[in-house]
Amino acid sequence: FLNVNDPRMVFVTAKQLENADRLLALYKAGDAPPGTTDKQLWQARKVRDGVIHPDTGLVIPVPFRMSFFVFANVPICVGMILTPPTMLNALFWQWANQSYNAAFNYANRNATIPVDMKSMWTSYGIATSVACAVSFSLNVLVKRATNMSPAMRTLIQRTVPYTAVATAGACNAVAMRYREAIEGIEILDGPNGKVVGRSVTAGKWALAQVAATRIALPLPIL
């Protein structure tokens, strides 16, 4: 988890990725160059895991890599916090955030379970609707709370973006990947990377961890 979220993975070049793949292939074939260290092998593995999708084997576009998630969310979160707390601003930034999240979730999906376009658009619609509904409802409630002090009103208004983002982010992840909890996910043999079975329990745990991550990641910024 820490390796794929390392911000340095954003700046990996095609040449670095090619060298990492070559070194790992040589090592797997038992023909690693003399003097190759464990540190070099782990670094090569880190580069590959941070850039290549584990199921498709394709390069993940930079804006949708795990390592880029915080960078992408900074301007969105700044917009949520610093723009005037009008209804239009709240709805716009929630829509922008969920649009990015939908693309991010698709780029990092579990490709062993096919996701059709209908499911993807459904998850996008659910997450965007939840984010906008939560943001709209909380803003209305704050405005109608006439017995609240101005300072408390401002404080609560500043928590609206996080509440909406966290709720919608979890909903987005669940809507996009719920089949993992129903059909299970593939289990790999650690040393060899071979598929040894499929586990529903592992799928549920994976989905819960993804949802928890979507709740936790915006917290430091918002």
Side-chain angles (χ1 to χ4, degrees):
F1 179 79
L2 294 177
N3 284 342
V4 297
N5 282 279
D6 188 334
R8 291 173 295 181
M9 295 300 99
V10 171
F11 307 104
V12 170
T13 65
K15 185 64 175 179
Q16 288 174 314
L17 178 59
E18 181 183 346
N19 290 340
D21 272 339
R22 183 185 301 111
L23 178 59
L24 292 172
L26 289 173
Y27 174 77
K28 189 174 182 179
D31 195 25
T36 300
T37 64
D38 288 345
K39 183 178 180 179
Q40 290 174 317
L41 291 171
W42 280 112
Q43 178 61 26
R45 175 69 180 271
K46 178 179 179 178
V47 168
R48 189 182 66 182
D49 289 351
V51 177
I52 300 294
H53 192 289
D55 298 327
T56 65
L58 301 176
V59 175
I60 301 173
V62 172
F64 306 122
R65 292 177 190 171
M66 293 291 292
S67 54
F68 196 80
F69 187 80
V70 173
F71 292 123
N73 274 269
V74 166
I76 294 175
C77 292
V78 168
M80 290 180 181
I81 296 172
L82 297 184
T83 55
T86 64
M87 195 63 66
L88 182 61
N89 281 339
L91 295 179
F92 170 77
W93 287 109
Q94 292 299 334
W95 167 80
N97 182 60
Q98 293 310 316
S99 295
Y100 174 76
N101 281 347
F104 179 87
N105 285 341
Y106 180 78
N108 293 277
R109 70 196 183 282
N110 182 344
T112 62
I113 300 177
V115 177
D116 55 50
M117 294 301 294
K118 181 180 179 181
S119 297
M120 186 179 71
W121 283 109
T122 298
S123 68
Y124 170 70
I126 290 173
T128 303
S129 299
V130 168
C132 291
V134 170
S135 181
F136 177 83
S137 300
L138 291 179
N139 274 302
V140 170
L141 288 174
V142 170
K143 289 180 179 179
R144 290 183 177 178
T146 55
N147 60 338
M148 192 180 297
S149 68
M152 182 59 67
R153 186 191 304 273
T154 301
L155 178 63
I156 293 178
Q157 281 182 326
R158 293 307 181 190
T159 67
V160 170
Y162 170 74
T163 304
V165 167
T167 304
C171 289
N172 191 316
V174 172
M176 187 75 176
R177 303 177 61 171
Y178 72 94
R179 290 176 60 185
E180 295 178 23
I182 298 174
E183 301 177 14
I185 59 176
E186 292 182 346
I187 304 299
L188 305 180
D189 177 11
N192 301 316
K194 295 181 179 180
V195 177
V196 295
R198 183 176 290 271
S199 170
V200 172
T201 300
K204 292 178 179 178
W205 271 106
L207 187 57
Q209 289 173 355
V210 171
T213 300
R214 297 296 185 270
I215 293 173
L217 283 177
L219 188 58
I221 301 174
L222 293 176

Short mmCIF file of all heavy atoms in Angstrom, two decimals, residues 80 85 138-139 142-143 150-162:
data_model
loop_
_atom_site.label_atom_id
_atom_site.label_comp_id
_atom_site.label_asym_id
_atom_site.label_seq_id
_atom_site.Cartn_x
_atom_site.Cartn_y
_atom_site.Cartn_z
N MET A 80 -13.39 23.39 -2.52
CA MET A 80 -14.49 23.15 -1.58
C MET A 80 -14.38 24.04 -0.35
O MET A 80 -15.39 24.52 0.18
CB MET A 80 -14.48 21.68 -1.13
CG MET A 80 -14.87 20.70 -2.21
SD MET A 80 -14.82 19.01 -1.54
CE MET A 80 -15.28 18.07 -3.00
N PRO A 85 -19.31 29.61 0.37
CA PRO A 85 -20.16 28.43 0.61
C PRO A 85 -21.57 28.58 0.06
O PRO A 85 -22.56 28.46 0.78
CB PRO A 85 -20.17 28.33 2.15
CG PRO A 85 -19.99 29.73 2.61
CD PRO A 85 -19.07 30.38 1.60
N LEU A 138 -27.10 19.34 4.15
CA LEU A 138 -26.40 19.92 5.29
C LEU A 138 -26.35 21.44 5.20
O LEU A 138 -26.48 22.14 6.22
CB LEU A 138 -24.98 19.35 5.38
CG LEU A 138 -24.88 17.87 5.75
CD1 LEU A 138 -23.43 17.42 5.78
CD2 LEU A 138 -25.52 17.62 7.12
N ASN A 139 -26.17 21.97 4.00
CA ASN A 139 -26.17 23.43 3.83
C ASN A 139 -27.52 24.02 4.20
O ASN A 139 -27.60 25.08 4.84
CB ASN A 139 -25.80 23.80 2.39
CG ASN A 139 -24.29 23.89 2.19
OD1 ASN A 139 -23.61 24.66 2.85
ND2 ASN A 139 -23.77 23.09 1.27
N VAL A 142 -27.98 23.91 8.04
CA VAL A 142 -27.18 24.94 8.72
C VAL A 142 -27.84 26.30 8.58
O VAL A 142 -27.92 27.08 9.54
CB VAL A 142 -25.74 24.97 8.16
CG1 VAL A 142 -24.99 26.18 8.69
CG2 VAL A 142 -24.99 23.70 8.53
N LYS A 143 -28.34 26.60 7.40
CA LYS A 143 -28.97 27.90 7.18
C LYS A 143 -30.25 28.06 7.99
O LYS A 143 -30.63 29.17 8.39
CB LYS A 143 -29.26 28.09 5.69
CG LYS A 143 -28.00 28.31 4.86
CD LYS A 143 -28.33 28.50 3.39
CE LYS A 143 -27.07 28.73 2.58
NZ LYS A 143 -27.37 28.89 1.12
N PRO A 150 -22.92 32.46 14.91
CA PRO A 150 -22.21 32.58 13.62
C PRO A 150 -20.93 31.76 13.56
O PRO A 150 -20.61 31.17 12.53
CB PRO A 150 -21.91 34.08 13.53
CG PRO A 150 -22.97 34.72 14.36
CD PRO A 150 -23.22 33.77 15.49
N ALA A 151 -20.20 31.71 14.67
CA ALA A 151 -18.95 30.95 14.68
C ALA A 151 -19.22 29.46 14.52
O ALA A 151 -18.53 28.77 13.75
CB ALA A 151 -18.19 31.21 15.99
N MET A 152 -20.22 28.95 15.22
CA MET A 152 -20.57 27.53 15.11
C MET A 152 -21.11 27.22 13.72
O MET A 152 -20.82 26.16 13.15
CB MET A 152 -21.61 27.16 16.17
CG MET A 152 -22.00 25.68 16.15
SD MET A 152 -20.59 24.57 16.43
CE MET A 152 -20.19 24.97 18.14
N ARG A 153 -21.89 28.14 13.17
CA ARG A 153 -22.44 27.94 11.83
C ARG A 153 -21.31 27.82 10.80
O ARG A 153 -21.31 26.95 9.94
CB ARG A 153 -23.35 29.11 11.47
CG ARG A 153 -24.09 28.93 10.13
CD ARG A 153 -24.75 30.25 9.74
NE ARG A 153 -25.64 30.72 10.79
CZ ARG A 153 -26.91 30.34 10.88
NH1 ARG A 153 -27.42 29.51 10.00
NH2 ARG A 153 -27.67 30.80 11.86
N THR A 154 -20.32 28.70 10.91
CA THR A 154 -19.17 28.67 9.99
C THR A 154 -18.38 27.38 10.14
O THR A 154 -17.97 26.76 9.15
CB THR A 154 -18.24 29.87 10.25
OG1 THR A 154 -18.97 31.08 10.06
CG2 THR A 154 -17.06 29.85 9.30
N LEU A 155 -18.20 26.95 11.39
CA LEU A 155 -17.45 25.71 11.64
C LEU A 155 -18.14 24.51 11.02
O LEU A 155 -17.50 23.67 10.36
CB LEU A 155 -17.28 25.50 13.15
CG LEU A 155 -16.56 24.22 13.59
CD1 LEU A 155 -15.12 24.23 13.07
CD2 LEU A 155 -16.58 24.09 15.10
N ILE A 156 -19.44 24.42 11.21
CA ILE A 156 -20.18 23.28 10.66
C ILE A 156 -20.20 23.32 9.14
O ILE A 156 -20.08 22.28 8.47
CB ILE A 156 -21.62 23.27 11.22
CG1 ILE A 156 -21.59 22.99 12.72
CG2 ILE A 156 -22.46 22.21 10.50
CD1 ILE A 156 -22.93 23.00 13.39
N GLN A 157 -20.31 24.53 8.58
CA GLN A 157 -20.29 24.65 7.12
C GLN A 157 -18.99 24.14 6.53
O GLN A 157 -18.96 23.58 5.44
CB GLN A 157 -20.51 26.11 6.71
CG GLN A 157 -21.97 26.55 6.77
CD GLN A 157 -22.14 27.98 6.32
OE1 GLN A 157 -21.28 28.84 6.54
NE2 GLN A 157 -23.27 28.27 5.68
N ARG A 158 -17.90 24.31 7.29
CA ARG A 158 -16.59 23.85 6.81
C ARG A 158 -16.46 22.33 6.87
O ARG A 158 -15.55 21.77 6.25
CB ARG A 158 -15.47 24.51 7.61
CG ARG A 158 -15.36 26.02 7.40
CD ARG A 158 -15.26 26.39 5.94
NE ARG A 158 -15.13 27.82 5.74
CZ ARG A 158 -15.23 28.42 4.55
NH1 ARG A 158 -15.47 27.68 3.46
NH2 ARG A 158 -15.11 29.72 4.44
N THR A 159 -17.32 21.68 7.64
CA THR A 159 -17.28 20.22 7.70
C THR A 159 -18.16 19.57 6.63
O THR A 159 -18.07 18.36 6.42
CB THR A 159 -17.74 19.70 9.08
OG1 THR A 159 -19.13 19.99 9.26
CG2 THR A 159 -16.93 20.35 10.20
N VAL A 160 -19.00 20.38 5.99
CA VAL A 160 -19.91 19.84 4.97
C VAL A 160 -19.15 19.18 3.83
O VAL A 160 -19.49 18.05 3.42
CB VAL A 160 -20.86 20.93 4.44
CG1 VAL A 160 -21.63 20.44 3.21
CG2 VAL A 160 -21.84 21.34 5.54
N PRO A 161 -18.08 19.81 3.27
CA PRO A 161 -17.37 19.16 2.16
C PRO A 161 -16.83 17.78 2.51
O PRO A 161 -16.97 16.84 1.74
CB PRO A 161 -16.23 20.15 1.85
CG PRO A 161 -16.75 21.46 2.29
CD PRO A 161 -17.56 21.17 3.52
N TYR A 162 -16.20 17.67 3.71
CA TYR A 162 -15.63 16.36 4.08
C TYR A 162 -16.73 15.32 4.23
O TYR A 162 -16.58 14.18 3.76
CB TYR A 162 -14.84 16.45 5.38
CG TYR A 162 -14.47 15.08 5.89
CD1 TYR A 162 -13.47 14.34 5.27
CD2 TYR A 162 -15.17 14.49 6.95
CE1 TYR A 162 -13.15 13.06 5.70
CE2 TYR A 162 -14.86 13.21 7.38
CZ TYR A 162 -13.85 12.51 6.76
OH TYR A 162 -13.55 11.24 7.17
#
